[in-house]
Amino acid sequence: MELASKYDPKEVESKWYQYWLDNKLFASKPDGRQPYTIVIPPPNVTGVLHMGHMLNNTIQDILVRRARMEGKNACWVPGTDHASIATEAKVVKKLAGEGIKKRDLTREQFLKHAWDWTDEHGGIILKQLRRLGASCDWDRTAFTMDETRSKSVIKVFVDLYNKGLIYRGLRMVNWDPKALTALSTEEVIYKEEKSHLFHLKYYVDGLTTLENEETLKAEGNIIHKDEKGYYAVVATTRPETIMGDTAMCINPKDAKNQWLKGRKVIVPLVGRVIPVIEDRYVDIEFGTGCLKVTPAHDTNDYMLGKTHNLETIDIFNPDGTISEQSPLYVGMDRMDCRKQISKDLQEAGLMERIEDYINKVGYSERNPDTAIEPRLSLQWFLKMQHFADIALPPVMNDELKFYPAKYKNTYKNWLENIQDWCISRQLWWGHRIPAYYYDEEKFVVAETAEEALKLARKESGNANLQLSDLKQDEDALDTWFSSWLWPISLFDGINNPGNEEIKYYYPTSDLVTGPDIIFFWVARMIMAGEEYMGTFPFKNVYFTGIVRDKLGRKMSKSLGNSPDPIELIEKFGADGVRMGMMLSAPAGNDILFDEALCEQGRNFNNKIWNAFRLVKGWKVADIEQTEAGKIATAWFEAKLKQTNAEVEDLFKKYRISEALMAVYKLFWDEFSSWYLEMVKPAYINGEPQPIDKATYDKTLEFFEILLKMLHPFMPFITEELWQHLYDRKDGESIMKVSLKLDAPTKADEELAAQIENVKQIVSGVRMVRNQKNIAPKEQLDLQVVSKNDYAAFDAVTIKMANLKSINVVTEKDATTSAFMVGTDEFAVPVGDMIDVEAEIAKMEAQLQHLEGFLAGVKKKLSNERFVANAPEAVVALERKKQSDSEEKIASLKESIAALKNK
C-alpha cells in the first residue's frame, strides 16, 4: 500500500480507530501481567466535549498507551455520571418548552421523560472521545445509574446507616432556590460582590427616658436618639430578612452597647418586639456591634437561636419568594424584596444610612446565577470525621502520591476542618433514598421494599403492615454519593467483594483530574476505598490545571473564547490537537491554550510524514558503510538511549508535557536536522546515489523506535507509519509493541557530547558562509589551530559543512574567518572574499567586549573574601572563565594583527 504524498488526518484517524476496535486492542481481562488501571472521571451523561475534557483525557490516553507498550495489562474504564441537578434542570426546561410543569407529573412520569432524554442525548461525549483517540475498553462502559452501580449505592447507604454514620436531622443547609434542592458545602462557590451595608433603626420598646444618660455616655456607650425615641442601629447586608428577626444580640463585653442590656427592641416596619440577648459570638468591631438574629436564615443565627431558645420564623418559600409566615411582601422574590424594603425603610425614616460594601456571596455550583439561601431543612447527612481520620494518613505519608505535591496541603486543610456531608437532594432524577416510612416520622432503611417491610413489621410490632402502607423517602442522593464508589463499583467490588476483577484491577494506578474536585470526588473516593477495600483506590493522582485562553481568561461560552474541540480536530487532526494541548500543560498549572500550538502539532505531523517519505524514497545498495554512516548511527543510537532515559524519568515525575518536548526535540532537531543530513545519500550529476544497506537498516530501526516513543502522544500518525515501515500481519499494532532501550553507557554520554561539539564546528562553518555570502555548494577548507581533537569525526564534519579538507595548522592564515568551539580555534580561509577593514572592526568590537568581561572576572577573583567563602565549584568556574577568555583574546589579537599585516 503506497503512502500518500500528504498527511490526511481524517483518512488516517478513522481507519486506524476502527482497526483498533475491530481487533479488540483496547480490551483487558485479568491475566498474569502487571495491571495498569485508570478509571475515567465520568463526564455528565448528556454533556458534550469541552477543552477541559480534551486535556484530561489526552493525559489519560498517553498514560494508558505508554503502559501497554511497557507490557502491562492496561485497562481504561469509561463511563458517565447521571448528574442529578444538571440533568433534571435540562429535562425540566425541555418539558417547560412543551408546556408541561414538573409539579403536574408523578415521579414515575417525570423519570420516564428523564430516561428518554438520557437515551437521546446520553453518550455523545463518549463518542466524541473516540475522535480524540481515547483507547478505553468500551465494552466496560458504565453509568452511575446502571443496575450494578445503583445496587452498589443503595447497599452502601444501608451499610453506613446501620453503622450509625448516616442520620436524618433538621439542620441549616445550603439551599438552591432555582434547583429547589439542598447542596453540600463543597457545592457552594463564593464570589466577591459590590453590595451595601444597610444601617437600620431598631427602636427600644417602652423607653422614653434614660436615666444616667450622661454617665452611660462617659462609660463608652453610644446612645442613639431622635424625635421618635431611643434606638439601636443594626448593620445588615440583607434587609429582606428582618421579617424573620426574633432577637437582637450584643456582645456582653461591648462597652458601647451596655445601655441595651435586658431591653427589648422593635423590628422596623414589622413592629415585632424582640429581646436583646447577649453572646460573645458577636463581633464588637463589625458595624455597630448590634446583630439581628434570624434563626431560620443564617447558620450562625440558627446556632444562637438554639442556644437562647429563640423562635424560628421561616420567611422564604423553597423558590426564594417571601412566604406567608412573613407579615409583609408575601409572594415577592427575595431580590425584588430587598430593593422594595430598602425604599420603604428610607421612606419610613427607619434607615440610618446605606454604605457601599464588598461582600462574599455563596452561589450554586450548578446554577452560577443563583445565590444560595441558608435554609432550615430536614435532610440526610453522613458523619465525616470517621472518614477524614482514615483518608488523611495515606496521602500525608505519601503512600498515595499527589502531583503536584502542593495539593497535599489543600487536602489536609479540608479534612482537618471537615463538616458532615448533606447527601440528600430534593430531586427525582438520581438514586432514591432507601428509607421507608411506616408512620409520619418513623422509618426503616433497607435495600429493597420487601426487606423494608420485614423490618417495619418487626419495629412497629404490626404484623399486618403491607407494602402499600410504606412510603419511600422522596429525596434522591447527591450525585457524588455514587461517584465516590466509582473505582470500586466499576469492578463490582461492593456487590461482589473479592471477585476476580476487583482483586486484579484494584487499587487502580493513576487518577487524572482537576484540582477543583479534590473535595467533591478525590477525597471521598479515598474515604470509600479505605472503608470498603481497606486501602486507597489509586496510587497516584495527577492534577491538571484549568484551561484558559492565551490572555489567561477562563474559557466560557459567554466570553466566546472556548473553541469546539471537534472543530479543532477537523482543522488540525487529533494528533495535532493532542500535541497542542500537551505543549501547554504542565501538571497542576493553568494551561494558556493557543490554537497556534495545535498548528505546531499539525506541522510536526507533516515533518514526521515527510521524513518518512524521504527515507522510504532512498535507493539501497549492498555496499560498504560510509565512515559518516558509521559515526552517525553510533551517535544517534546513543542519543536515543539518552532521551529514552530522560523520558522515563519525566514520566515517573508526571512531567508529561516535558516528556513530549524531549521526544519532539529528538525527532525534529536531532533526527531530522542532523542525523538524516549525516546519512543522506549524495546527488552526483543530478542523480541520487544509493545508501548503504547497513545505514539504511539502522535508519529504519531508529524510525521505528522514534514512532514508539511518539505513539502515546500521537497515536494515529505513528500507527500509520509503523504499519508502512515493514510488512505487518493483520491485527498487529504499534500499541502492543514493547519499547525497551538499554540505559546510556558512559561511552554513549561521551560520544553524544563529542558530536555536540562537532555540530558546533559545522555551525561555525555555516555561520562563516552566511556572513561572507558564500554559496552552500562551494567547498571550503577548514583549519584547526594546534591540534584536532575531533579528527575521528572528520567524515561527518566534511559532509555536513561541505568541506574539501580539514588541516591542522600551527598558525591560521591571515585571510581566514575564525571561530571558537570551547577553547579550540577553527578557521576558514576565505581569501579575497572578505572586507578586511570591516572584519578588523568586528573583531576589535569582540575583543573590547571580551576584555571587559575578563576584567569583571579578575576583579571577582582578586576579592579574597569571595575566594575564601564561595563554594569551591563556583571559584573553579570563575577561573575557567578567566582562562577561556584569555585564550579567546589571544586568538582575536593574533587574527587582528594578521589582517593588519596583510
Side-chain angles (χ1 to χ4, degrees):
M1 183 167 57
E2 191 178 341
L3 198 67
S5 60
K6 287 186 177 179
Y7 178 54
D8 180 3
K10 289 191 182 89
E11 191 271 329
V12 167
E13 289 166 10
S14 58
K15 174 178 71 179
W16 290 116
Y17 201 87
Q18 193 57 51
Y19 177 85
W20 297 330
L21 291 175
D22 291 344
N23 288 281
K24 298 282 185 186
L25 295 175
F26 305 153
S28 173
K29 298 287 182 197
D31 58 26
R33 291 174 294 164
Q34 179 186 343
Y36 177 86
T37 319
I38 285 187
V39 296
I40 200 168
N44 288 1
V45 65
T46 59
V48 291
L49 204 63
H50 59 58
M51 296 305 288
H53 294 132
M54 288 283 281
L55 171 67
N56 187 295
N57 287 284
T58 295
I59 293 167
Q60 289 177 80
D61 195 49
I62 289 167
L63 294 171
V64 167
R65 287 179 181 273
R66 182 171 171 82
R68 280 196 196 96
M69 298 182 81
E70 290 173 336
K72 295 172 185 171
N73 186 353
C75 180
W76 183 12
V77 188
T80 51
D81 186 275
H82 63 278
S84 290
I85 296 176
T87 304
E88 183 147 327
K90 287 178 180 176
V91 175
V92 168
K93 186 178 178 182
K94 171 189 173 282
L95 291 172
E98 298 169 6
I100 304 170
K101 293 180 180 175
K102 179 188 170 184
R103 65 171 177 260
D104 295 334
L105 300 174
T106 64
R107 188 187 195 107
E108 288 67 31
Q109 288 170 332
F110 178 81
L111 287 175
K112 185 181 184 307
H113 284 288
W115 278 109
D116 288 346
W117 172 268
T118 302
D119 291 341
E120 183 182 349
H121 299 279
I124 292 172
I125 192 166
L126 298 183
K127 290 184 178 71
Q128 291 177 319
L129 283 176
R130 297 176 186 222
R131 292 290 307 276
L132 185 65
S135 56
C136 302
D137 185 349
W138 297 109
D139 291 339
R140 292 180 176 272
T141 302
F143 176 43
T144 51
M145 275 180 64
D146 64 25
E147 187 178 352
T148 300
R149 263 50 62 180
S150 295
K151 194 175 175 186
S152 302
V153 169
I154 300 305
K155 198 175 191 73
V156 164
F157 182 97
V158 174
D159 177 63
L160 294 177
Y161 177 80
N162 289 335
K163 288 174 178 174
L165 292 169
I166 286 179
Y167 65 93
R168 185 172 182 254
L170 186 66
R171 297 285 185 277
M172 186 65 69
V173 298
N174 301 294
W175 185 263
D176 182 335
K178 188 173 183 179
L180 300 178
T181 183
L183 302 176
S184 67
T185 307
E186 292 72 35
E187 290 170 299
V188 181
I189 309 298
Y190 286 91
K191 303 176 190 175
E192 278 198 350
E193 284 189 349
K194 288 181 180 178
S195 182
H196 296 98
L197 201 55
F198 301 88
H199 294 255
L200 313 183
K201 294 180 180 180
Y202 283 63
Y203 283 93
V204 181
D205 183 47
L207 182 64
T208 54
T209 305
L210 187 60
E211 294 181 9
N212 304 321
E213 186 171 332
E214 294 306 316
T215 305
L216 288 167
K217 285 180 180 177
E219 291 171 352
N221 282 276
I222 297 176
I223 299 168
H224 302 276
K225 184 183 180 184
D226 62 14
E227 67 280 1
K228 294 180 186 176
Y230 292 93
Y231 63 91
V233 177
V234 173
T236 179
T237 57
R238 302 198 63 195
E240 70 276 12
T241 63
I242 65 172
M243 290 83 77
D245 288 0
T246 55
M248 189 180 85
C249 191
I250 60 171
N251 191 311
K253 299 291 185 181
D254 188 357
K256 64 182 178 290
N257 286 316
Q258 293 296 307
W259 70 285
L260 290 168
K261 283 187 175 184
R263 301 190 185 279
K264 293 184 177 181
V265 294
I266 303 166
V267 180
L269 289 182
V270 178
R272 183 184 304 127
V273 177
I274 58 175
V276 176
I277 60 173
E278 299 172 49
D279 198 291
R280 291 192 179 186
Y281 161 74
V282 178
D283 182 357
I284 295 171
E285 302 302 320
F286 179 77
T288 61
C290 294
L291 177 76
K292 60 188 284 302
V293 183
T294 316
H297 300 293
D298 181 273
T299 304
N300 297 312
D301 288 11
Y302 174 65
M303 299 308 294
L304 282 172
K306 287 181 72 175
T307 303
H308 297 275
N309 198 26
L310 299 176
E311 182 185 2
T312 299
I313 305 172
D314 186 353
I315 63 156
F316 290 131
N317 293 313
D319 63 357
T321 57
I322 307 299
S323 76
E324 290 185 357
Q325 286 199 51
S326 169
L328 303 167
Y329 310 109
V330 174
M332 187 178 285
D333 179 77
R334 58 189 171 144
M335 297 306 175
D336 295 334
C337 181
R338 181 180 299 178
K339 295 172 188 172
Q340 186 60 48
I341 201 170
S342 172
K343 184 179 174 185
D344 293 346
L345 285 163
Q346 289 177 75
E347 289 176 355
L350 295 168
M351 184 82 75
E352 177 94 339
R353 73 180 193 279
I354 302 173
E355 63 177 290
D356 291 337
Y357 185 69
I358 302 296
N359 193 22
K360 274 196 170 181
V361 179
Y363 280 83
S364 168
E365 192 239 354
R366 290 297 180 193
N367 292 310
D369 61 343
T370 304
I372 289 302
E373 194 61 58
R375 188 161 193 257
L376 202 55
S377 182
L378 196 59
Q379 300 288 342
W380 292 87
F381 296 86
L382 177 61
K383 293 179 183 177
M384 294 299 281
Q385 191 56 55
H386 159 72
F387 291 101
D389 292 342
I390 61 176
L392 189 57
V395 173
M396 300 318 293
N397 298 338
D398 281 334
E399 298 166 74
L400 189 169
K401 289 187 170 63
F402 280 4
Y403 297 91
K406 66 182 180 182
Y407 288 111
K408 282 171 65 177
N409 285 333
T410 309
Y411 180 84
K412 179 173 181 279
N413 185 57
W414 184 68
L415 287 184
E416 288 181 343
N417 297 279
I418 199 85
Q419 295 179 25
D420 286 356
W421 176 10
C422 176
I423 57 174
S424 48
R425 298 291 179 271
Q426 288 59 60
L427 301 166
W428 284 347
W429 177 247
H431 300 103
R432 193 171 180 180
I433 289 175
Y436 298 83
Y437 297 83
Y438 55 88
D439 75 9
E440 197 65 33
E441 283 300 319
K442 294 180 180 177
F443 60 86
V444 292
V445 170
E447 291 183 43
T448 64
E450 289 73 24
E451 289 173 29
L453 181 59
K454 290 178 188 174
L455 285 172
R457 284 173 175 172
K458 184 179 177 182
E459 287 198 14
S460 67
N462 181 359
N464 296 318
L465 274 178
Q466 300 299 315
L467 279 175
S468 57
D469 297 323
L470 300 184
K471 185 187 176 191
Q472 189 175 352
D473 197 296
E474 289 291 326
D475 289 352
L477 284 162
D478 180 5
T479 303
W480 296 105
F481 196 84
S482 54
S483 304
W484 78 322
L485 304 175
W486 194 239
I488 308 171
S489 65
L490 283 175
F491 303 107
D492 206 15
I494 298 294
N495 301 318
N496 294 297
N499 72 71
E500 182 191 15
E501 291 219 327
I502 195 75
K503 284 196 293 185
Y504 182 75
Y505 291 116
Y506 189 98
T508 66
S509 305
D510 297 323
L511 175 74
V512 181
T513 188
D516 52 328
I517 55 173
I518 190 170
F519 312 132
F520 290 124
W521 196 44
V522 179
R524 289 170 180 166
M525 281 192 288
I526 296 169
M527 293 170 179
E530 292 287 346
E531 180 73 13
Y532 288 102
M533 298 299 298
T535 188
F536 40 83
F538 21 74
K539 302 178 187 85
N540 306 287
V541 181
Y542 177 103
F543 290 106
T544 66
I546 295 169
V547 184
R548 300 182 181 276
D549 67 13
K550 59 187 176 184
L551 300 177
R553 300 174 303 175
K554 192 170 180 178
M555 288 189 168
S556 69
K557 286 181 183 176
S558 59
L559 284 175
N561 63 345
S562 182
D564 179 341
I566 300 302
E567 287 180 11
L568 285 177
I569 290 172
E570 290 287 336
K571 186 174 180 182
F572 299 108
D575 288 338
V577 176
R578 287 168 67 115
M579 186 175 172
M581 293 295 297
M582 292 312 301
L583 286 175
S584 56
N589 294 327
D590 286 356
I591 289 92
L592 298 181
F593 178 77
D594 187 346
E595 271 196 29
L597 293 168
C598 294
E599 191 171 351
Q600 186 179 345
R602 180 178 62 189
N603 293 343
F604 186 44
N605 275 287
N606 293 333
K607 183 80 171 178
I608 298 167
W609 192 265
N610 292 334
F612 187 86
R613 291 186 70 247
L614 172 72
V615 170
K616 278 293 199 173
W618 289 340
K619 293 177 182 175
V620 186
D622 201 358
I623 54 177
E624 186 179 349
Q625 188 176 21
T626 63
E627 187 61 28
K630 289 176 185 175
I631 296 166
T633 52
W635 163 69
F636 197 73
E637 193 155 352
K639 202 71 189 168
L640 275 172
K641 290 180 194 173
Q642 269 189 330
T643 305
N644 190 62
E646 179 189 358
V647 168
E648 284 183 350
D649 180 61
L650 289 167
F651 264 101
K652 283 174 187 170
K653 296 171 182 171
Y654 290 81
R655 287 156 61 177
I656 300 172
S657 60
E658 290 174 53
L660 169 60
M661 187 51 74
V663 184
Y664 172 81
K665 286 179 178 175
L666 176 67
F667 192 98
W668 193 293
D669 298 340
E670 308 296 351
F671 185 70
S672 293
S673 299
W674 286 100
Y675 174 78
L676 291 183
E677 292 300 316
M678 289 178 188
V679 302
K680 188 167 67 176
Y683 269 73
I684 298 177
N685 299 324
E687 285 296 317
Q689 301 303 297
I691 186 171
D692 65 86
K693 190 172 185 304
T695 302
Y696 183 72
D697 288 347
K698 266 292 180 187
T699 303
L700 293 187
E701 181 186 315
F702 294 155
F703 217 117
E704 181 162 30
I705 293 168
L706 286 165
L707 291 175
K708 290 180 191 177
M709 292 174 81
L710 283 164
H711 176 73
F713 305 101
M714 309 172 78
F716 292 108
I717 191 170
T718 51
E719 183 73 77
E720 173 78 1
L721 296 181
W722 184 85
Q723 295 283 351
H724 276 88
L725 197 59
Y726 302 109
D727 289 335
R728 308 291 185 188
K729 294 175 185 173
D730 189 46
E732 284 187 316
S733 169
I734 188 172
M735 74 167 68
K736 294 286 189 178
V737 180
S738 173
L739 170 60
K740 286 180 183 173
L741 292 178
D742 293 334
T745 62
K746 188 179 179 184
D748 290 327
E749 302 285 359
E750 288 171 355
L751 176 58
Q754 287 173 313
I755 295 294
E756 284 307 307
N757 286 329
V758 170
K759 284 155 73 173
Q760 285 189 53
I761 297 167
V762 172
S763 297
V765 175
R766 289 173 177 174
M767 180 184 68
V768 171
R769 285 184 187 278
N770 287 337
Q771 289 174 343
K772 311 304 177 191
N773 292 317
I774 303 170
K777 289 181 180 178
E778 188 166 337
Q779 287 191 313
L780 300 172
D781 292 307
L782 180 65
Q783 295 179 354
V784 190
V785 180
S786 285
K787 61 187 176 75
N788 183 3
D789 291 330
Y790 307 103
F793 310 109
D794 279 359
V796 167
T797 310
I798 287 169
K799 181 174 183 178
M800 296 293 284
N802 193 19
L803 302 173
K804 283 185 284 188
S805 65
I806 299 176
N807 304 302
V808 177
V809 297
T810 52
E811 235 178 76
K812 60 181 183 284
D813 293 353
T815 59
T816 61
S817 185
F819 59 89
M820 306 289 290
V821 174
T823 56
D824 295 319
E825 187 176 13
F826 297 84
V828 178
V830 290
D832 296 330
M833 291 183 279
I834 64 167
D835 181 335
V836 174
E837 292 302 320
E839 197 68 21
I840 290 172
K842 187 173 75 175
M843 287 183 178
E844 285 178 338
Q846 289 176 332
L847 179 63
Q848 188 178 355
H849 170 73
L850 273 171
E851 285 175 337
F853 176 75
L854 178 61
V857 173
K858 282 183 172 178
K859 186 178 179 182
K860 192 180 282 188
L861 288 170
S862 67
N863 184 332
E864 292 179 9
R865 182 180 288 180
F866 169 76
V867 174
N869 297 325
E872 191 177 327
V874 172
V875 176
L877 180 62
E878 292 301 315
R879 294 196 195 284
K880 187 174 186 308
K881 286 179 185 177
Q882 179 182 357
S883 63
D884 287 354
S885 299
E886 286 170 344
E887 281 187 40
K888 288 176 182 177
I889 287 168
S891 172
L892 274 170
K893 283 181 175 177
E894 187 185 321
S895 296
I896 292 167
L899 281 173
K900 285 182 175 178
N901 294 330
K902 185 183 173 187

